[in-house]
Amino acid sequence: MSDNAQPHFGDGSDSHRVRDPVELVAAVRRYFETQARLRKGIRLVNASRFEEATREFSAAEAGDADWPSLPACAAADPAGVRGDGEGAEAAGQNPGAVESLVRDALALWSTGRTGEAIARLRQGIEQHREAAELHYQLGTLLAAADAVDEANGCYRRAVVLDPDHADALVGLAMCEGVRRETGKAVRHLTRAQQLRPGDARINLLLSMAARAARQQGQPVAVRAATPQPPARDAEAIGELSRVIETEPDFVDAFLSLPPGDMEKEVFALLAETLHTVLRRQPEHADLYYHCSRVLVRLGRRKEAIELTERAVRIDPKFVKALIQLGRLYGQTNRLTDATARLEQAIAQGAEYPDVYLLLGNLYRDRGQPDRARWAFDKALGINERYVAARAARAALTITEQSGFD
């Protein structure tokens, strides 16, 4: 029991804060991937496919260890910040006094003074007999000391005082597991999971307990709750918006992510975040441009065009936005507009081979082979090894020699 019983109380430390934008973006993506695994695991549990669910929850717990919530991830706050004092409030006790007692006990325990830590919690219970949190913390220290039977009693008392104390329910289930009462463990863990459906560890323990009960020949049917999707979390949007306001090019780190299963969730969050920033800073052309690029990743091309046009109205010499408009107009069959925007971009100094290639394709599609040939040659003049431009130039020659327009 001692390996699994880990007393904890958040200290508010920010020693693991992420400051690198690329690392933060990767953390956001991992968070969504973890949530996807969690939801998949819950579906598997409810289908009684416990072994498969255990694998999903194991992977989810690994991702959940550092970022317990999307706001914490966006703010780069470590997972250790948890409100274990909530049980005191639920029991109608003085949360400050109970929190202080728990901190004192855990400080003693962390320095190896286990007996004194346990004694401190016993003293606290004498003063606050109805504080479920104290009974829970005492049970956890006793479990860590392998006093399973006494720990079991403490957890039971905590649950009597606060039936919604998820951690005490988990502790009680662990004690039942040691006593091989897996059916009881499943019931306690099911209740804990329904209270905290987004907790990867609780889901993992539930799937493992259900699997063990089945192996013992017990009938098992679990109805696990599904957490709400986090994509519209206002707190996380607020945190990310502050990062983007400080450094708008931070969006490039998101856009550099390769396509994946979580693309829609990640970029939906980013799009809403950018709209939040734009409401506060409506005259920043680069923000409209960045938002349009995100909308393209989401397949919302019409909105992307509108935002890019807004960027160009604010800054008519914004080369990146002009090129973006050229691409988007070309994709929506607005060939004349696309050509005009790319010509503007080149006039502003966008002498890039890919821009000339794109412009050449537009000229070709508009029936202007001479202009197309000129554009392809310009691209090759900048980069003679540009395979796409050389292929386009050769195809144009073949088409002309065949007598086609």
Side-chain angles (χ1 to χ4, degrees):
M1 185 74 182
S2 58
D3 290 340
N4 295 317
Q6 294 296 323
H8 59 88
F9 203 93
D11 62 2
S13 169
D14 64 353
S15 60
H16 294 90
R17 291 182 67 86
V18 173
R19 292 179 173 84
D20 180 2
V22 175
E23 189 176 347
L24 177 54
V25 169
V28 171
R29 179 166 184 163
R30 285 197 304 273
Y31 174 80
F32 280 102
E33 290 171 345
T34 294
Q35 292 300 305
R37 284 188 177 276
L38 189 62
R39 291 193 292 271
K40 181 180 178 181
I42 290 172
R43 290 194 298 271
L44 289 168
V45 161
N46 289 337
S48 297
R49 295 162 61 181
F50 303 125
E51 185 172 356
E52 296 170 74
T54 297
R55 288 196 293 269
E56 293 296 330
F57 291 138
S58 294
E61 189 187 26
D64 185 52
D66 292 330
W67 310 106
S69 69
L70 184 54
C73 179
D77 286 335
V81 184
R82 297 179 187 271
D84 292 346
E86 293 175 359
E89 290 187 60
Q93 302 296 309
N94 180 342
V98 170
E99 180 177 320
S100 178
L101 285 165
V102 172
R103 288 189 185 279
D104 288 348
L106 295 187
L108 291 167
W109 182 86
S110 67
T111 58
R113 298 156 69 183
T114 303
E116 293 178 60
I118 291 174
R120 185 74 181 98
L121 287 174
R122 292 192 194 280
Q123 288 178 335
I125 288 173
E126 288 297 318
Q127 299 169 351
H128 305 278
R129 292 183 180 276
E130 303 304 306
E133 184 65 21
L134 291 177
H135 291 277
Y136 160 69
Q137 295 287 354
L138 177 57
T140 301
L141 292 189
L142 290 168
D146 289 326
V148 177
D149 289 338
E150 192 176 359
N152 185 65
C154 292
Y155 289 137
R156 286 188 181 280
R157 181 61 178 162
V159 172
V160 168
L161 292 169
D162 180 6
D164 292 341
H165 198 305
D167 290 318
L169 286 162
V170 171
L172 190 55
M174 298 292 283
C175 289
E176 298 291 7
V178 171
R179 296 160 63 178
R180 297 187 63 78
E181 294 286 351
T182 53
K184 294 179 181 179
V186 169
R187 288 196 294 275
H188 295 314
L189 287 167
T190 298
R191 174 61 181 154
Q193 193 277 341
Q194 290 169 347
L195 290 167
R196 291 217 302 256
D199 190 309
R201 176 173 176 266
I202 292 177
N203 280 285
L204 174 61
L205 293 172
L206 175 58
S207 65
M208 293 171 66
R211 181 183 176 190
R214 173 184 282 173
Q215 290 172 343
Q216 292 176 3
Q218 300 181 40
V220 182
V222 177
R223 294 308 304 171
T226 302
Q228 293 297 315
R232 293 292 185 262
D233 196 307
E235 188 177 349
I237 289 170
E239 292 290 350
L240 284 173
S241 71
R242 283 185 279 278
V243 175
I244 291 170
E245 282 180 324
T246 302
E247 182 51 72
D249 288 338
F250 170 71
V251 179
D252 286 333
F254 275 98
L255 291 165
S256 68
L257 290 172
D261 293 339
M262 293 299 99
E263 174 142 325
K264 182 176 180 181
E265 287 86 350
V266 171
F267 284 99
L269 171 69
L270 184 55
E272 188 155 349
T273 301
L274 282 163
H275 278 110
T276 298
V277 178
L278 281 169
R279 284 193 289 271
R280 294 199 291 258
Q281 300 185 13
E283 299 306 319
H284 284 241
D286 55 346
L287 290 174
Y288 288 100
Y289 165 70
H290 286 309
C291 193
S292 75
R293 295 167 69 204
V294 172
L295 291 173
V296 168
R297 288 285 288 263
L298 288 168
R300 293 157 59 179
R301 193 172 291 141
K302 181 179 179 182
E303 296 172 72
I305 289 174
E306 292 172 356
L307 290 182
T308 315
E309 287 173 340
R310 179 69 180 270
V312 171
R313 284 200 296 273
I314 294 172
D315 182 1
K317 297 181 179 181
F318 193 168
V319 168
K320 290 182 178 179
L322 290 168
I323 295 171
Q324 170 88 335
L325 267 183
R327 294 185 189 280
L328 291 172
Y329 285 153
Q331 293 166 6
T332 53
N333 206 35
R334 295 171 59 179
L335 303 185
T336 301
D337 291 334
T339 302
R341 290 307 190 184
L342 291 179
E343 288 172 343
Q344 283 181 269
I346 290 171
Q348 294 299 326
E351 298 274 346
Y352 309 127
D354 58 331
V355 173
Y356 277 113
L357 173 62
L358 181 58
L359 182 58
N361 288 333
L362 290 169
Y363 284 140
R364 179 202 60 210
D365 293 342
R366 293 179 61 193
Q368 298 176 282
D370 291 341
R371 296 295 295 167
R373 188 182 303 104
W374 168 82
F376 294 145
D377 286 343
K378 291 288 289 185
L380 290 168
I382 299 170
N383 180 4
E384 63 180 9
R385 297 182 179 181
Y386 194 3
V387 175
R390 190 166 299 281
R393 177 72 164 79
L396 181 64
T397 299
I398 292 172
T399 300
E400 289 182 305
Q401 290 175 349
S402 301
F404 294 103
D405 292 332

